[in-house]
Amino acid sequence: MKIFVIIPVYNEKGRVVEVIKKILKIDKKIGIIVVDDGSTDRSLKILNKYFGKNTRVIIVSHLANLGKGAAMKTGMKIAWKLGGEAIIFMDADGQHNPKYLPKFISGLSENPIVFGYRQLNKNSPWIRRNGNKFAGWLVGLMFNIKKKDLLCGFLGFRKEIYKKIYWRSCRYGIETEMAIKVGKNRIAFSEVKIDTIYIDKYKGVTIIDALRILFDIPFWYFSK
């Protein structure tokens, strides 16, 4: 199965290079598609400096910041054009350890979608830990899906199911929207436990983002 790792990037000049280097070492065959989402730092220049001539790394960019969801779609479309049969999404900041990629690849041979999950404990930010639990409970109740970590962005799926999990979210609602559509369509999935790493407590899903996700749930409930 031809698989691409897709990495949306926004102002990660200090971390994304190491993430890509680790992926290249973990798997000697997998391709990487990096989508710079209108970074205002030197991320794009640094990416081109280190990987511009690497045939396994494809670098594309948005002229303006369109959001994580849009960057994911851009990478996905390129993967399909290149004959990709499955894709795996990873964050650019180092929160997703590439050592788990073999488990995701193995999982995709058995199920059409694989979700990563973190063991959120007392060391995790309180608002994220409890907000994740509440959202997971609510989505599980409404859409009949038991998922251990609703907001983890380390995930992969096969091309064949894309039309059933198509997402409209541009920011941090992608994972929730995708989980809802997996539940609504009764799609089989597996989960891979990954390390719980918080690089920056001020990045990621904010309270405002979480409220937006909650307000979007009724919309996703009635949408196809």
Side-chain angles (χ1 to χ4, degrees):
M1 184 161 49
K2 190 172 184 179
I3 301 175
F4 287 92
V5 171
I6 297 173
I7 307 176
V9 177
Y10 182 68
N11 292 348
E12 291 294 350
K13 64 178 183 179
R15 301 183 180 121
V16 65
V17 169
E18 288 305 312
V19 171
I20 296 172
K21 285 181 177 179
K22 289 178 181 178
I23 295 171
L24 291 171
K25 289 180 181 179
I26 289 290
D27 192 299
K28 303 298 182 181
K29 296 181 180 179
I30 203 165
I32 303 172
I33 301 172
V34 187
V35 183
D36 181 78
D37 189 29
S39 292
T40 56
D41 65 359
R42 297 178 62 249
S43 292
L44 183 58
K45 289 184 178 180
I46 290 174
L47 284 166
N48 282 317
K49 175 184 176 181
Y50 281 92
F51 306 108
K53 296 181 180 179
N54 192 315
T55 57
R56 290 178 57 197
V57 182
I58 298 168
I59 303 169
V60 296
S61 63
H62 292 162
L63 293 177
N65 180 242
L66 302 179
K68 180 182 178 182
M72 290 168 65
K73 283 182 181 177
T74 295
M76 178 195 66
K77 290 175 182 178
I78 293 171
W80 298 160
K81 286 182 179 179
L82 294 174
E85 298 168 272
I87 51 179
I88 299 172
F89 293 107
M90 294 181 65
D91 287 352
D93 61 3
Q95 290 196 58
H96 299 154
N97 194 327
K99 73 179 183 180
Y100 294 105
L101 274 173
K103 290 188 176 182
F104 278 82
I105 294 169
S106 175
L108 286 169
S109 68
E110 300 175 0
N111 290 286
I113 187 163
V114 179
F115 293 108
Y117 74 92
R118 302 156 296 179
Q119 197 70 50
L120 299 177
N121 52 39
K122 62 181 180 180
N123 295 322
S124 307
W126 185 91
I127 187 67
R128 294 187 182 182
R129 182 174 73 251
N130 289 283
N132 198 335
K133 286 182 179 180
F134 174 73
W137 169 81
L138 181 61
V139 168
L141 182 67
M142 294 179 67
F143 302 98
N144 191 33
I145 178 172
K146 293 182 179 180
K147 191 168 176 288
K148 296 175 182 176
D149 184 352
L150 191 65
L151 302 177
C152 182
F154 198 168
L155 60 94
F157 62 83
R158 299 199 301 243
K159 183 180 180 180
E160 68 204 53
I161 67 160
Y162 170 60
K163 290 183 179 180
K164 292 184 178 180
I165 60 170
Y166 176 88
W167 63 90
R168 294 182 174 87
S169 305
C170 290
R171 286 184 57 79
Y172 292 107
I174 304 104
E175 294 83 9
T176 304
E177 183 180 1
M178 200 177 295
I180 285 171
K181 291 186 175 180
V182 168
K184 288 177 70 174
N185 290 290
R186 300 184 182 277
I187 299 171
F189 67 91
S190 60
E191 295 180 281
V192 174
K193 184 179 179 180
I194 66 171
D195 297 334
T196 304
I197 303 172
Y198 284 106
I199 303 295
D200 188 342
K201 68 179 181 179
Y202 298 107
K203 291 184 65 176
V205 180
T206 66
I207 294 176
I208 294 175
D209 291 322
L211 289 174
R212 285 174 178 164
I213 292 171
L214 287 175
F215 285 131
D216 280 336
I217 288 176
F219 170 76
W220 293 327
Y221 182 84
F222 291 106
S223 65
K224 292 183 180 180

